[in-house]
Amino acid sequence: MDEDAKIGTLLTTVTANDVDTYPDLTYNFASIDKQYMDYFSIDRFSGKVFLKKKLDYENVQEFKMKILASDRAHVAETVLTIKVVDVNDNAPVFM
């Protein structure tokens, strides 16, 4: 993801499969990854992951977060990795 991506950008959609039809699956970040909630949000029903805070390659180059899918009785987990791509956003300076 380019570091100059606009807030609200759809980054990806995570999906899980459950052979049962009820209840519907819900998606959440794992509790240990709550610090990522400043940067990302996940729609609990669709699994769509959105950017909610500006990225800065010079501060963080990669995010790894655990995402959970649950049918209320069982939980599956996966790791989502988002790599921040540097863009030319800093002017040169003399040292």
Side-chain angles (χ1 to χ4, degrees), residues 6-92:
K6 304 268 188 243
I7 293 174
T9 298
L10 173 63
L11 305 176
T12 191
T13 302
V14 293
T15 57
N17 187 31
D18 188 354
V19 295
D20 304 321
T21 57
Y22 183 81
D24 291 336
L25 293 175
T26 57
Y27 301 92
N28 291 293
F29 293 117
S31 59
I32 59 170
D33 293 332
K34 293 300 183 190
Q35 71 269 21
Y36 295 129
M37 292 180 67
D38 288 343
Y39 288 93
F40 309 104
S41 64
I42 187 166
D43 182 282
R44 62 179 297 181
F45 298 109
S46 70
K48 291 180 180 180
V49 179
F50 296 95
L51 181 64
K52 63 184 250 192
K53 182 178 178 181
K54 185 168 173 28
L55 300 172
D56 186 0
Y57 178 85
E58 286 71 29
N59 290 329
V60 182
Q61 292 81 42
E62 182 177 273
F63 294 90
K64 286 189 177 212
M65 61 201 97
K66 192 178 294 184
I67 296 182
L68 307 175
S70 174
D71 64 1
R72 290 184 258 175
H74 304 95
V75 176
E77 63 183 57
T78 191
V79 175
L80 173 64
T81 301
I82 297 176
K83 294 185 180 210
V84 181
V85 177
D86 194 18
V87 296
N88 189 3
D89 62 343
N90 295 303

